[in-house]
Amino acid sequence: MAKRDYYEVLGVARTATEVEVNKAYRRLAMQHHPDRNVGDPEAEVRFKEVTEAYEVLKDAQRRQVYDRYGHDGLAQAAAGGGVDLGDILSQVFGGAFAGGRRRPRAPRRGEDIEDILDVDLLEAATGVKRTVSVRYEANCRGCGGTGAKPGTHPAPCRRCKGTGGETASLGGMFSFAQACRGCGGRGVVVTDPCPACRGVGRVETRESIDVPVPPGVDTRVRLTVPGRGHEGPPGAARGDLELVVRVREHKVFERDGHNLICQFPVSFARAALGGPVEIPTLTGQKVTAEVPRGAQTHTTVLRVPGHGMPDLDDPRRKGDLLVQLVVETPAALSAEQEELFRRLAELDGVTPPAPRKGLFGKLKDLISGDAPPTEQR
Ligand SMILES: [Zn+2]
Ligand SMILES: [Zn+2]
């Protein structure tokens, strides 16, 4: 079946403006829309025909190709970019016909940018406003993204006759469609490049963005800043900026879900007798906690409620601070302390070690096997 001329299908002149093309399509699509012609299979055929014609004539580039090369020139392009009815309908009717068929979709928006955002544990606990510098691709303001020097226009690519596609052979009967290597799939080539972007149509732009980091973030939490990614084709929305949080390790506090864990040194006497100690928290506050009598090194853990990390969804809810006690054995004793420890040792029923002999004496003991007894339980 021979294809009808697209202008004929839409019933417009070859000189029709964009507005006239839109108007004609809106009228015909209404008339032939399958939802309005239930049970009439021919309506769907006519509807597809007008939509295909419109898809070409509304696009200045493809219309140019069609004017020059007709249906044959466009035939190859179909392999690379099929007609998306839903997209066209939503553009023309603003989604009026999209209900029930598919969601209306805006023109393809720009790519998202993903980056890593490093924050301190304290910043993760309190929340912070950070300013990040982001490089994104934008359409060149000088040429509006075409790459052609202002006042000039890109010319249709000769290699692909403006379709942007070409067929590559794998030998034998196998072949596949790929982007034209003459124009990179754009269908046009820039003969007179825009000086601002050197004919690329895109420029790299840097901008500073304030990013609120909410309290409670953890490593791998994603923060989305809408509309701060790469620019899409002219007229399309920008992509998003996606920041993946990475929380730095803290020297003192370790995170375990909503709780924080830290170690805290206590003296021998405090561990044995118990009593209050002042513990520093992540935010710099000092809280008092009670060491139980007979606290054991590394195994006694104090729980300080509400001094852990806030919940990301509800920052008023906070985890606890878990304090692992580390009992420190005194390394250098004053005379008075030594006397007291000796008395303690006597009470244990253990012979206190002999007064220090010096290195030579100790070695001798070791060799003769006459070492002083060590404390044992
Ligand atoms: Zn430019
Ligand atoms: Zn080409």
Side-chain angles (χ1 to χ4, degrees):
M1 192 176 87
K3 269 197 171 183
R4 285 170 71 203
D5 175 63
Y6 285 150
Y7 292 97
E8 197 185 308
V9 169
L10 287 185
V12 295
R14 295 193 86 81
T15 53
T17 63
E18 205 183 314
V19 175
E20 286 168 334
V21 169
N22 277 335
K23 239 186 200 170
Y25 175 63
R26 192 177 286 128
R27 186 176 55 79
L28 289 167
M30 282 281 198
Q31 192 183 329
H32 299 303
H33 197 283
D35 290 359
R36 294 189 152 206
N37 298 273
V38 180
D40 179 4
E42 274 184 36
E44 188 163 353
V45 175
R46 285 194 303 271
F47 178 73
K48 279 188 175 155
E49 193 182 22
V50 295
T51 301
E52 185 187 323
Y54 170 70
E55 149 79 356
V56 170
L57 298 189
K58 66 154 183 146
D59 181 327
Q61 238 173 56
R62 302 191 66 195
R63 184 173 172 178
Q64 204 180 6
V65 172
Y66 176 71
D67 285 349
R68 280 190 176 206
Y69 312 105
H71 289 297
D72 289 346
L74 288 167
Q76 280 178 285
V83 176
D84 192 334
L85 286 180
D87 275 357
I88 299 164
L89 286 174
S90 67
Q91 276 168 36
V92 175
F93 298 111
F97 269 127
R101 311 191 123 236
R102 51 181 300 163
R103 279 185 304 130
R105 243 180 13 195
R108 204 169 59 84
R109 65 187 193 105
E111 301 272 314
D112 293 341
I113 296 174
E114 194 176 293
D115 208 349
I116 288 171
L117 183 68
D118 285 311
V119 298
D120 293 338
L121 188 61
L122 178 58
E123 292 173 325
T126 59
V128 67
K129 200 172 92 176
R130 291 285 289 275
T131 304
V132 296
S133 179
V134 174
R135 282 194 310 203
Y136 70 99
E137 269 187 29
N139 292 301
C140 172
R141 304 283 179 262
C143 59
T146 64
K149 190 174 171 181
T152 72
H153 294 284
C157 170
R158 286 186 190 184
R159 185 186 174 104
C160 62
K161 294 189 168 61
T163 62
E166 66 181 11
T167 307
S169 175
L170 286 172
M173 56 190 292
F174 298 103
S175 65
F176 62 96
Q178 65 175 21
C180 167
R181 276 173 292 160
C183 59
R186 298 172 70 196
V188 290
V189 287
V190 173
T191 47
D192 211 354
C194 161
C197 62
R198 292 197 202 88
V200 180
R202 306 274 280 177
V203 286
E204 205 176 70
T205 309
R206 187 179 272 281
E207 80 179 324
S208 290
I209 299 167
D210 289 333
V211 182
V213 180
V217 290
D218 202 349
T219 296
R220 283 188 291 281
V221 163
R222 301 175 82 88
L223 303 175
T224 303
V225 188
R228 293 306 186 100
H230 294 300
E231 277 189 6
R238 271 178 75 174
D240 296 338
L241 171 63
E242 289 263 334
L243 294 170
V244 183
V245 171
R246 204 165 55 178
V247 180
R248 290 191 198 99
E249 274 189 22
H250 193 278
K251 274 187 239 164
V252 174
F253 297 95
E254 192 186 313
R255 187 177 191 163
D256 180 27
H258 285 143
N259 293 333
L260 288 173
I261 301 169
C262 74
Q263 291 192 329
F264 188 76
V266 289
S267 70
F268 234 71
R270 174 64 70 227
L273 300 173
V277 284
E278 222 176 39
I279 292 166
T281 66
L282 176 62
T283 53
Q285 281 175 277
K286 290 236 162 76
V287 292
T288 305
E290 193 71 17
V291 175
R293 273 180 90 89
Q296 301 295 310
T297 191
H298 290 92
T299 54
T300 301
V301 174
L302 310 183
R303 183 178 286 268
V304 185
H307 283 276
M309 297 296 284
D311 188 282
L312 184 58
D313 297 321
D314 181 7
R316 288 166 303 176
R317 289 178 52 199
K318 285 181 179 158
D320 301 335
L321 172 60
L322 305 177
V323 184
Q324 183 185 43
L325 296 181
V326 178
V327 178
E328 293 198 316
T329 309
L333 296 176
S334 67
E336 195 182 356
Q337 282 174 319
E338 176 148 358
E339 181 52 35
L340 290 170
F341 270 107
R342 277 179 193 286
R343 286 190 58 194
L344 278 176
E346 278 167 13
L347 291 173
D348 285 346
V350 171
T351 315
R356 288 165 163 246
K357 285 180 178 177
L359 185 61
F360 183 70
K362 282 185 193 169
L363 270 176
K364 224 172 98 180
D365 287 345
L366 206 64
I367 293 160
S368 68
D370 189 20
T374 50
E375 287 182 62
Q376 273 173 351
R377 281 179 192 270

